[in-house]
Amino acid sequence: MKSVSIISDLEDFYVVQIFGKIFERCKKHINTFNVRVKNFSIIEACFKIYSLSGLKDVVFVCVVDPGVGTKRKIKIIKTKKNFFIGPDNGIFSLIDENLIEKIIEVSNEQFSPSPTFHGRDIFAVIAGKILNGHKIESFGKEVKEIKRVDLKNKILYIDEFGDIITAINNKKIMAKFGEILKVKIMCKDKKVKIIESKFVRTYADEKEKFVIYKGSSGFLEIAKFKDNAAKILNVKIGDGIKILD
Amino acid sequence: MKSVSIISDLEDFYVVQIFGKIFERCKKHINTFNVRVKNFSIIEACFKIYSLSGLKDVVFVCVVDPGVGTKRKIKIIKTKKNFFIGPDNGIFSLIDENLIEKIIEVSNEQFSPSPTFHGRDIFAVIAGKILNGHKIESFGKEVKEIKRVDLKNKILYIDEFGDIITAINNKKIMAKFGEILKVKIMCKDKKVKIIESKFVRTYADEKEKFVIYKGSSGFLEIAKFKDNAAKILNVKIGDGIKILD
Amino acid sequence: MKSVSIISDLEDFYVVQIFGKIFERCKKHINTFNVRVKNFSIIEACFKIYSLSGLKDVVFVCVVDPGVGTKRKIKIIKTKKNFFIGPDNGIFSLIDENLIEKIIEVSNEQFSPSPTFHGRDIFAVIAGKILNGHKIESFGKEVKEIKRVDLKNKILYIDEFGDIITAINNKKIMAKFGEILKVKIMCKDKKVKIIESKFVRTYADEKEKFVIYKGSSGFLEIAKFKDNAAKILNVKIGDGIKILD
C-alpha cells in the first residue's frame, strides 16, 4: 500500500484528524488523497468509491455514515487492488464483485471510539495498521456479503459542471456519432421528461444541443457544452434515466 | 516533526505558495495538511487549532490575520506535542496552558516580507526552518503570554452539517441518556431562545428532536439528525449558550 | 522535480484520478499540491499558473480545457524552474518568456485517451514520466510558440476576500503612501466606473476607503478592509482597469 484516500462527507479539519490518527500508526511515506462527498449522500459515495477503485495500492477510508454509533456494521473489503474501510450502509454497492477477495466484519471490542466519530476512532486505526502490514483478519470475522443498494438506470452523480453521470454502462450504447437519441428521465417527484441528445465523442463536438457520450468513468453521461445540463433539466442524483429505442 | 499543517482563511493557491516556501527550506519528507477557516473568523480559528492540537509532531502555520502588516505580534508556541506559528490576535486562545513549553515573540528583522502576505514571507520561512531542526529561540525573544479571547459559554463552531459545537466541556454534563435538557441561547442581536434537547449518545439515537451529546472534540454539541440545527435555530458562531438547571 | 501540482477546474475525485495515474508511474516521494480554478476560466488559470510559477522543481499539470478531445494542441513547457503540461488554449499566457527553455507540442499517438479526460489519460502520464526523469523531447516536436491571450489592463482575479487583483505591475505605481488615486474600471457590459482609492502599504492601514497596494503576486490590488471590494463595485474577472493620472 502506498496511498491512503479519505472519501467522506466531512470537513477538512475532521479529515485531518483522521489522517493524523493514521500517521500516528504508520511510519513510512504514504501519499494522501482527500475526496469530498455531499452530506449523507450514499449514492454519490457509491459513485466516487467506484471511480477511484481502479487505483492501485490504496487504502480507502470511507466515511459517509449518518448511522455512526448505531448498530450498522463496519466492513473491511480487500480487493485485488486495494482496501476499503467503512460503514456497510450501501456505499460499497458499486465495487466489482469479481475483484473482491475478502470481506471482514469489524468487531468493535478492540476500539474505544467516541460514538460520533468512528472515522477517526475506528477506521483510521484500522487503516494505519493495514498500511503497516497488519492482517485484516485480526479485526473481526470473515463474511460473504456487503450491502448493495439498487442503482440500475439511476443518475449516479452530477458533477460541478452540471454533467449528468448515469449508471448506464458505456457499452450499452450502439449509436453512431451524430445520431439523436431520446432519453427519458424519471424524477423522484414523479415528473417524466423526454429529451433529445446527440451522441458525440466529446462535449465540444456539439455546441447547442444536449449531448450524450461515453464518460471517462465507464458510464454514459449527458451534458451541454459550457453549460449546466443538470440545472436546465432540473434533475437530481438518484433520478431514473433510460435511453429509449 | 513529521507533518506541517496550514490552518488559514486563504484560498488554495495562496496555501500552495506557503507550502512551496516551506519545501524550499526543508529537504526531508513531510506530510501536509490543509484546513480552511472562514474569512477573518478568529473564533473558528481558535476551535480548529484546538481540535488539531492533539496531533503529534506537527508544525502548524496559522494564518487568520486581518491585521497583517500592522503592529500585531507574531508568536511561535512550542508545546509538548508540536509547534504553532501565527499572529497573536487571539487565534491561540484555546491552546492548553499546561501543554505550553515556550513562547517566542518574533522580531521581524531577519525577514523582508511583502506587507500583505506574512503567511508566505515570514511564517513559512520559520516553519521550514523548524522542520529542519532550527531552534525557535533564534527568531526572537521569549515571552510569557499569548493573547486569549474569552470564549466561555460561546458557540465555537457550526460545522457543515449544521451541528452546533459549544465551548462547554463534555465533563460538565451530568444527565442520563434520554433526559430532556433546556438550553438557553443568547444571540448577538440580543434575542434569547430556550430549546429542549434530548441528551443522547449519538445523533441517530433520536430522529425528531434536537439532541445534545458529548462531541468528538471534547465539547458538548447540539444537532438534529439529518437536518441543520444551526439553520433551524438561526444561531451563529460566537453566540452565547448555556444549559439551564 | 520534487513536487507535482494540479491546477484545474476539476472536482477532487477527478483530481485524485490524475494523481493516481501519476503515482502509478512514479516510485519516489513527491509532494502534491492541488489548486482549483473556476469552471472554464482561462484568465483565472493564467493568474494562478503565473502565481505559482516561481516555485522550484514542480511539475504543473494544468487542466482548464473546455476543448478537450478537439484539435486544440497540448504543450509541455520547460522553464528554468519547472515544467508545465496542458492545453494550449491561452492558460500559459502569463508565463515569463525569458524563463522558457523549451516548448514541446505533444503528438497524441503514444496515448489512448478517453476523449473527455486528457488530464488523466495524457497529461498525468507525461507528468509521471517527467518525474521519473524522462526527456520531454520524446513526447512530440519542439515548437517556438505558446498561445497568449491579451491580459493588459485587465482584472486578473478576484479572491475569496473580494480583493481585486489587476494585471498592472507593482512597479507601475509611483504614488506615496496616503495619496488618493483615481481608478477607472471598464466593465464588460460597457459600464465605466471611476473610484477613489488610497495607496497604502497594507489593508489595515485604512479602514473606511477603498485601498490600492502592491500585491503579494507582483500586481496592484484593490481592496476594502474586512469587506468585499469586488462585490461593492460589481466587477468581474476580465473587466478593464486603469489608474488615471
Side-chain angles (χ1 to χ4, degrees):
Chain A
M1 296 298 112
K2 59 184 191 183
S3 305
V4 61
S5 176
I6 298 175
I7 300 177
S8 78
D9 58 356
L10 300 175
E11 274 179 87
D12 55 10
F13 84 105
Y14 291 120
V15 168
V16 170
Q17 291 178 54
I18 296 176
F19 279 130
K21 273 285 168 218
I22 292 170
F23 282 111
E24 272 181 27
R25 266 152 198 83
C26 167
K27 304 298 174 218
K28 45 182 188 165
H29 165 59
I30 302 289
N31 302 314
T32 56
F33 302 122
N34 182 32
V35 171
R36 181 72 181 267
V37 171
K38 272 181 279 303
N39 293 355
F40 316 123
S41 182
I42 302 286
I43 300 185
E44 185 177 327
C46 285
F47 170 66
K48 292 189 168 175
I49 289 169
Y50 169 81
S51 289
L52 298 172
S53 62
L55 299 181
K56 278 179 207 146
D57 296 327
V58 184
V59 175
F60 290 96
V61 176
C62 307
V63 201
V64 176
D65 193 13
V68 61
T70 63
K71 294 211 176 294
R72 63 91 185 86
K73 308 282 188 230
I74 296 167
K75 298 260 169 91
I76 306 168
I77 303 169
K78 181 179 187 304
T79 73
K80 286 172 186 161
K81 296 190 168 183
N82 35 46
F83 291 91
F84 300 84
I85 308 156
D88 192 30
N89 57 13
I91 58 174
F92 299 127
S93 294
L94 288 173
I95 295 179
D96 184 349
E97 210 155 328
N98 298 315
L99 288 179
I100 294 178
E101 294 187 337
K102 191 168 278 186
I103 302 167
I104 296 292
E105 183 183 309
V106 174
S107 66
N108 283 10
E109 293 137 34
Q110 56 191 297
F111 306 97
S112 47
S114 89
T116 55
F117 200 2
H118 288 186
R120 179 190 69 188
D121 299 336
I122 299 180
F123 311 167
V125 176
I126 294 172
K129 288 186 171 179
I130 291 175
L131 288 165
N132 271 343
H134 212 87
K135 290 259 179 299
I136 59 172
E137 289 78 0
S138 68
F139 297 113
K141 66 171 194 282
E142 194 176 345
V143 293
K144 289 288 152 217
E145 297 287 331
I146 46 173
K147 179 173 174 179
R148 289 183 190 266
V149 293
D150 181 18
L151 296 170
K152 224 185 132 194
N153 288 327
K154 291 242 163 97
I155 293 177
L156 279 188
Y157 188 55
I158 290 164
D159 71 19
E160 293 195 21
F161 295 100
D163 300 349
I164 298 163
I165 301 172
T166 75
I168 309 170
N169 196 296
N170 278 342
K171 290 171 190 159
K172 287 278 174 70
I173 204 162
M174 297 298 165
K176 276 180 196 148
F177 292 136
E179 260 185 66
I180 303 292
L181 301 175
K182 281 194 174 138
V183 178
K184 184 176 171 184
I185 298 172
M186 293 137 288
C187 298
K188 271 175 283 186
D189 62 5
K190 311 279 179 198
K191 272 189 200 143
V192 172
K193 294 163 198 182
I194 293 177
I195 60 158
E196 302 203 324
S197 284
K198 189 169 176 179
F199 179 54
V200 296
R201 216 177 42 85
T202 188
Y203 327 99
D205 288 346
E206 163 60 51
K207 306 286 198 298
E208 304 298 331
K209 293 190 183 66
F210 289 108
V211 294
I212 185 165
Y213 54 89
K214 298 183 179 192
S216 64
S217 300
F219 299 114
L220 294 178
E221 300 186 14
I222 292 173
K224 202 158 182 301
F225 184 65
K226 284 199 180 181
D227 211 333
N228 191 311
K231 220 177 222 170
I232 299 172
L233 294 170
N234 192 24
V235 296
K236 303 267 179 287
I237 292 180
D239 285 353
I241 196 158
K242 210 177 158 178
I243 301 176
L244 301 179
D245 298 321
Chain B
M1 295 298 111
K2 58 183 191 183
S3 306
V4 60
S5 176
I6 298 176
I7 300 175
S8 77
D9 57 357
L10 299 176
E11 273 179 87
D12 54 11
F13 83 107
Y14 291 119
V15 168
V16 170
Q17 291 179 54
I18 296 175
F19 278 131
K21 273 285 168 217
I22 292 170
F23 283 111
E24 274 182 24
R25 265 152 200 86
C26 168
K27 304 299 174 216
K28 43 180 190 166
H29 165 60
I30 301 289
N31 302 314
T32 56
F33 303 122
N34 182 34
V35 172
R36 183 72 180 269
V37 171
K38 273 180 278 303
N39 293 354
F40 315 124
S41 182
I42 302 287
I43 299 183
E44 184 178 328
C46 286
F47 170 66
K48 291 189 169 175
I49 290 170
Y50 168 81
S51 290
L52 299 173
S53 63
L55 300 180
K56 277 179 207 147
D57 296 327
V58 184
V59 175
F60 289 96
V61 175
C62 307
V63 200
V64 176
D65 193 12
V68 60
T70 63
K71 294 210 176 294
R72 62 95 185 83
K73 307 284 188 229
I74 296 168
K75 298 261 169 91
I76 306 168
I77 302 168
K78 182 180 187 303
T79 73
K80 285 170 187 162
K81 295 192 166 179
N82 36 44
F83 291 90
F84 299 84
I85 308 157
D88 191 31
N89 58 13
I91 57 174
F92 300 127
S93 295
L94 288 174
I95 295 178
D96 183 348
E97 210 155 328
N98 298 316
L99 288 179
I100 294 178
E101 293 188 337
K102 190 168 280 187
I103 302 167
I104 297 292
E105 182 181 311
V106 174
S107 67
N108 284 8
E109 291 136 36
Q110 55 190 301
F111 306 97
S112 46
S114 88
T116 54
F117 199 3
H118 288 186
R120 179 190 68 188
D121 300 335
I122 299 180
F123 310 166
V125 176
I126 294 172
K129 289 185 172 180
I130 291 174
L131 288 165
N132 271 344
H134 211 87
K135 288 259 179 300
I136 59 172
E137 289 78 1
S138 68
F139 298 112
K141 64 171 197 284
E142 193 176 343
V143 294
K144 290 286 153 219
E145 296 287 330
I146 46 173
K147 179 174 173 177
R148 290 184 188 263
V149 293
D150 180 18
L151 296 170
K152 225 185 131 192
N153 288 327
K154 290 241 163 99
I155 293 177
L156 280 187
Y157 188 55
I158 291 164
D159 71 19
E160 293 192 22
F161 295 99
D163 299 349
I164 300 163
I165 300 172
T166 76
I168 309 170
N169 197 296
N170 277 342
K171 291 171 191 159
K172 288 278 174 68
I173 204 163
M174 298 296 164
K176 276 181 197 148
F177 293 134
E179 259 186 64
I180 303 292
L181 300 175
K182 281 195 174 137
V183 178
K184 183 177 172 183
I185 298 172
M186 295 138 284
C187 299
K188 271 176 284 188
D189 63 5
K190 312 279 178 197
K191 273 188 199 143
V192 172
K193 294 163 198 181
I194 293 176
I195 59 159
E196 301 203 326
S197 285
K198 189 169 177 179
F199 179 55
V200 295
R201 216 177 41 86
T202 188
Y203 326 101
D205 288 346
E206 163 61 51
K207 304 287 196 302
E208 304 299 330
K209 294 192 184 66
F210 289 108
V211 294
I212 186 165
Y213 54 90
K214 298 184 178 191
S216 64
S217 299
F219 298 114
L220 294 178
E221 301 185 15
I222 293 173
K224 202 158 182 303
F225 183 65
K226 285 200 180 181
D227 209 332
N228 191 312
K231 221 176 223 169
I232 300 171
L233 294 170
N234 191 24
V235 295
K236 303 265 178 290
I237 291 180
D239 286 353
I241 196 158
K242 212 176 156 177
I243 301 176
L244 300 179
D245 296 321
Chain C
M1 295 298 112
K2 59 181 191 187
S3 305
V4 60
S5 176
I6 298 176
I7 301 177
S8 78
D9 58 356
L10 299 175
E11 272 179 89
D12 54 10
F13 84 106
Y14 291 120
V15 168
V16 170
Q17 291 179 53
I18 297 176
F19 278 130
K21 274 283 169 219
I22 292 171
F23 283 111
E24 272 181 25
R25 266 151 198 83
C26 167
K27 305 296 174 218
K28 42 181 192 167
H29 166 59
I30 302 289
N31 302 313
T32 56
F33 302 122
N34 182 33
V35 171
R36 182 72 181 268
V37 170
K38 274 180 278 301
N39 293 355
F40 316 124
S41 183
I42 303 287
I43 300 183
E44 185 177 327
C46 286
F47 170 65
K48 291 188 169 175
I49 289 170
Y50 168 82
S51 289
L52 299 173
S53 63
L55 299 181
K56 277 178 206 147
D57 297 327
V58 184
V59 176
F60 289 98
V61 175
C62 306
V63 200
V64 177
D65 193 11
V68 60
T70 64
K71 294 212 174 294
R72 63 96 183 83
K73 308 282 188 231
I74 296 167
K75 298 260 169 92
I76 305 168
I77 303 168
K78 180 181 189 303
T79 73
K80 286 171 187 162
K81 296 192 167 181
N82 37 44
F83 291 91
F84 300 84
I85 307 156
D88 191 30
N89 58 11
I91 58 174
F92 299 128
S93 293
L94 288 174
I95 295 180
D96 185 348
E97 209 156 328
N98 298 314
L99 288 180
I100 294 178
E101 293 187 337
K102 190 169 279 186
I103 302 167
I104 297 292
E105 183 182 309
V106 174
S107 67
N108 284 9
E109 293 136 34
Q110 56 189 297
F111 305 97
S112 47
S114 89
T116 53
F117 200 1
H118 288 186
R120 178 190 68 188
D121 299 335
I122 300 180
F123 310 167
V125 176
I126 295 173
K129 288 185 171 180
I130 291 174
L131 288 165
N132 270 345
H134 212 85
K135 289 261 179 296
I136 59 172
E137 288 78 0
S138 68
F139 298 112
K141 64 170 197 284
E142 193 175 346
V143 294
K144 288 289 153 220
E145 297 287 331
I146 46 173
K147 179 172 173 179
R148 288 183 189 266
V149 293
D150 181 18
L151 296 169
K152 226 186 130 193
N153 288 326
K154 290 239 163 99
I155 292 176
L156 281 186
Y157 189 57
I158 289 164
D159 70 19
E160 293 192 22
F161 295 101
D163 299 349
I164 299 163
I165 300 172
T166 75
I168 309 170
N169 196 297
N170 277 343
K171 290 170 190 159
K172 287 278 174 67
I173 204 163
M174 297 297 164
K176 273 180 200 149
F177 293 135
E179 261 186 63
I180 302 293
L181 300 175
K182 281 194 172 139
V183 178
K184 185 177 171 182
I185 298 171
M186 292 138 289
C187 299
K188 272 177 281 187
D189 63 5
K190 311 281 178 197
K191 272 189 200 143
V192 171
K193 294 162 197 182
I194 293 177
I195 60 158
E196 302 202 325
S197 284
K198 189 169 177 179
F199 180 55
V200 295
R201 216 175 43 85
T202 189
Y203 327 98
D205 288 347
E206 164 60 50
K207 305 285 198 302
E208 304 298 330
K209 293 191 184 64
F210 290 109
V211 293
I212 185 165
Y213 54 90
K214 298 184 178 190
S216 63
S217 301
F219 299 113
L220 294 177
E221 299 185 15
I222 293 173
K224 203 156 181 302
F225 184 67
K226 285 200 180 179
D227 210 333
N228 190 311
K231 218 177 225 171
I232 300 172
L233 293 170
N234 192 24
V235 296
K236 304 264 178 292
I237 291 180
D239 286 353
I241 196 158
K242 211 176 155 177
I243 301 176
L244 301 178
D245 296 323

